[in-house]
Amino acid sequence: MTTRPPVSTLDQATATDSAPEGSGLRAGLKDRHLSMIAIGGVIGAGLFVGSGSGIAAAGPGILISYALVGALVVLVMRMLGEMAAANPTSGSFSAYADRALGRWAGFTIGWLYWFFWVVVLAVEATAGAKILTGWIPGVPQWGWALIVMVVLTATNLGSVGSYGEFEFWFAGIKVVAIAAFIVVGGLAVFGLLPGSDHPATGLSNLTGHGGFLPHGPGAILTGILMVVFSFMGSEIVTLAAGETENPRAAVTKATNSVIWRIAVFYLGSILVVVSLLRWDDPAILKDGSYVAALNSIGIPHAGQIMNAIVLTSVLSCLNSGLYTASRMAFSLGRRSDAPAPFARTTGRGVPRTAILASVVFGFVAVAFNYLWPDTVFQFLLNSSGAIALFVWLVICFSQLRMRRIIQRETPDKLVVRMWLYPYLTWATIAMITFVLCYMLTDTADGGGRDQVVLSTLVALGVVGVALLRDRLRRSRAHDAATPS
C-alpha cells in the first residue's frame, strides 16, 4: 500500500472574473446554496417514483427498510464528513482514497463515480423528456432531452454560482412540496384536513391488512434493495463545499444535519403514505405512492402536480449530476489521473473541458437509450448499478486509515469525528457487504445479480488500468534515475 503527500485543498482563486485561465475553482457558492444542495441531495426522483414498488413488496415494513438504509447513509456521511472537514477538496472521497489506500484506489473510484453520473445524466434526461412530451407533444422526446441537457450545460458553464442558484430553487421546490405533503397528509390521517372526506384512519393501516410485515421479515431485505439507490447523491455536498468561502464549516454543518434530513423527508413522507392508504391498495403501483395518497384525500390534479415535482427532481439531479461529474473529472485531472485539460478552468473558475467531456458522454448515453435501450443502454445501467455501494465501501476503508493520518499530521482539524471509531466503521463495511451479497440473490433480468457482476467487472477493468499506469510510471521514473 502506497501513500502520497497530503491532498491539497481546493485552489480557490480570489481574483476577479478576469483572472487568467487555469486559476482554479472559485468559492462561488453561498451558504444558502450549500444548505439546499445538502437537502436536495437526499431527495431524488427515486423517492417519488420508486417508493410504490417498495411499499408493495414490503408493506408498512418498508419503513424499516428506509430506516436501515438511512442509518447506513448517516454513518457513511459521518465518515466522509470527518475527512472532508479536515481537508475539503474537489475530489472528495476519490482524493481521500488516493491518499489513504493508494493511487490505484483514487483513480478507480474517481472514474467509476464519474461513469455512474454520466449514465445518470442519460436516465434523468430521458425521464424529464417523457414528462415534457406529455405536456407539449409537439416536440419529440429526443428534442426535449436535448433541450434539457443544453440548458443545464449552459448553466454549469456560466459559473459555480449559476449551478448553485439553479439548485437552490430546484431543491427548494422539492423541500416545500414534501413538507406540504407531510403536513396535509398528516392532517388527513387524523381526520383534521378541512374539505377532505378521507376517514380518520390514524395509524391503523400500519398494522391492519396482514400486519406490519405482511410478507414476513425477509421482505425488509427486498425493500432495502429497492430503496438503497434512491439515497445516492448525499455525498455531493462534500464536493460542493470546497467551492464555498468556509468549506470546513460548511461540511461540518451539512454532515451533522443529514440525520434529520433523512428522518423528515424519507421516513416522514413514507409514514404518511402507508398511514393514509392500505399497503396493498392497487393505486400505489398504478398511480405511484404519492399520487395515490394525494388522490385519496381529494387533492385535484394530483397526477399533474406530482409530475411537476418529479420534473423538478429530475432537473435537480441532472444539474447536480453534471456538476458532480465535472468536479470529479477536474480532480482527476489535477492528480494527473485524467487528461491535463480537465484540470484547467476558465477565468470564472469553471472547469469547462471537464464539463463538456461529461456532457458529450452524457449525450452519447442518451443516444444509446433511444437507439439500443434493451442492449447497450441496459448494459450501461447494470454496469453502473452497484457503483454507489462501491463508493460507500471505499469511503469506509479510506476513513479507517485517514483517521490515523489526520491524528498524526493535523489533529486540530479533526473537528468532525466518526462515532465509536473503528467499530462502527467496520460494522458499516459489514452492512454494505451484506447488501452486495444479498443483491446476488436477485436473479431477475437486470436485477441485483446483473448489477453486482457487471459493476464488479467494470471496476476490475478500471483497477487493472490503474495498476498498469502505476507500473509504467514507476518504470519511467526508474529509467530516468538510472545513469545511461
Side-chain angles (χ1 to χ4, degrees):
M1 184 179 295
T2 60
T3 58
R4 305 179 66 198
V7 178
S8 60
T9 55
L10 277 179
D11 176 12
Q12 295 177 342
T14 57
T16 63
D17 286 346
S18 61
E21 182 162 305
S23 58
L25 299 179
R26 299 296 188 81
L29 293 175
K30 301 176 181 177
D31 287 346
R32 65 181 178 87
H33 292 153
L34 201 72
S35 295
M36 278 302 178
I37 290 170
I39 294 173
V42 237
I43 310 173
L47 173 63
F48 301 109
V49 178
S51 56
S53 299
I55 293 171
I62 194 66
L63 288 167
I64 299 179
S65 302
Y66 272 105
L68 289 173
V69 178
L72 186 64
V73 172
V74 167
L75 295 174
V76 171
M77 284 299 294
R78 186 72 182 184
M79 287 180 252
L80 184 55
E82 177 181 292
M83 295 183 287
N87 196 351
T89 179
S90 60
S92 188
F93 49 83
S94 173
Y96 307 138
D98 189 308
R99 166 74 162 138
L101 307 177
R103 291 201 67 167
W104 67 272
F107 177 95
T108 301
I109 206 63
W111 277 113
L112 287 177
Y113 193 66
W114 179 87
F115 171 60
F116 170 85
W117 280 109
V118 167
V119 175
V120 166
L121 290 179
V123 174
E124 300 295 344
T126 304
K130 286 181 180 177
I131 295 174
L132 289 167
T133 302
W135 291 343
I136 309 176
V139 178
Q141 189 171 309
W142 65 266
W144 278 120
L146 178 63
I147 291 170
V148 166
M149 289 281 279
V150 167
V151 169
L152 292 179
T153 299
T155 299
N156 276 264
L157 285 173
S159 69
V160 68
S162 300
Y163 156 71
E165 199 63 32
F166 268 72
E167 191 57 24
F168 175 81
W169 291 105
F170 286 152
I173 292 172
K174 291 189 290 185
V175 169
V176 169
I178 291 193
F181 175 82
I182 292 174
V183 172
V184 171
L187 290 173
V189 165
F190 296 102
L192 302 175
L193 183 65
S196 174
D197 57 358
H198 188 280
T201 54
L203 302 179
S204 61
N205 280 332
L206 295 180
T207 53
H209 320 294
F212 187 72
L213 294 170
H215 298 308
I220 294 173
L221 296 177
T222 304
I224 286 175
L225 296 190
M226 292 183 167
V227 308
V228 65
F229 298 106
S230 66
F231 284 83
M232 192 63 176
S234 307
E235 68 288 334
I236 292 175
V237 68
T238 63
L239 282 83
E243 290 179 79
T244 62
E245 291 291 348
N246 191 346
R248 186 164 289 111
V251 166
T252 303
K253 180 180 178 182
T255 53
N256 285 340
S257 65
V258 71
I259 297 176
W260 72 260
R261 286 187 270 127
I262 288 175
V264 171
F265 297 121
Y266 276 86
L267 294 179
S269 62
I270 296 297
L271 175 61
V272 167
V273 171
V274 294
S275 297
L276 280 171
L277 301 168
R278 49 185 295 166
W279 67 269
D280 55 353
D281 190 320
I284 290 179
L285 280 178
K286 178 176 177 291
D287 301 325
S289 55
Y290 289 84
V291 172
L294 291 173
N295 281 331
S296 74
I297 58 179
I299 301 296
H301 310 296
Q304 291 305 319
I305 292 172
M306 193 52 58
N307 272 341
I309 296 171
V310 170
L311 178 61
T312 301
S313 294
V314 164
L315 295 177
S316 172
C317 190
L318 266 171
N319 194 38
S320 289
L322 183 51
Y323 171 85
T324 304
S326 65
R327 267 41 177 195
M328 186 58 73
F330 169 83
S331 177
L332 289 166
R334 277 291 171 100
R335 288 177 274 144
S336 301
D337 287 336
F342 282 21
R344 297 176 189 152
T345 57
T346 65
R348 291 179 175 268
V350 174
R352 180 169 53 201
T353 304
I355 290 174
L356 293 176
S358 301
V359 170
V360 166
F361 280 93
F363 276 128
V364 170
V366 169
F368 287 156
N369 195 9
Y370 286 106
L371 296 174
W372 303 290
D374 300 321
T375 52
V376 178
F377 190 68
Q378 188 63 40
F379 170 80
L380 291 179
L381 285 178
N382 290 337
S383 59
S384 65
I387 287 176
L389 293 170
F390 293 169
V391 167
W392 293 350
L393 268 181
V394 168
I395 290 172
C396 294
F397 282 111
S398 298
Q399 188 266 340
L400 284 173
R401 184 168 174 81
M402 281 298 293
R403 165 67 77 90
R404 296 195 296 270
I405 294 173
I406 296 168
Q407 285 178 322
R408 182 177 66 247
E409 297 179 354
T410 53
D412 58 302
K413 293 183 178 180
L414 200 57
V415 293
V416 176
R417 291 175 179 264
M418 175 60 183
W419 306 295
L420 297 178
Y421 169 84
Y423 309 108
L424 211 45
T425 301
W426 281 111
T428 306
I429 291 171
M431 291 166 63
I432 297 171
T433 304
F434 175 79
V435 172
L436 283 168
C437 292
Y438 191 74
M439 286 176 69
L440 293 173
T441 66
D442 181 10
T443 57
D445 187 31
R449 176 178 292 181
D450 288 348
Q451 293 179 25
V452 172
V453 170
L454 289 176
S455 295
T456 300
L457 289 175
V458 170
L460 289 175
V462 179
V463 169
V465 172
L467 294 176
L468 179 61
R469 289 177 76 254
D470 279 353
R471 183 173 181 179
L472 291 174
R473 187 181 288 112
R474 287 195 299 269
S475 177
R476 287 195 296 267
H478 179 269
D479 292 343
T482 303
S484 56

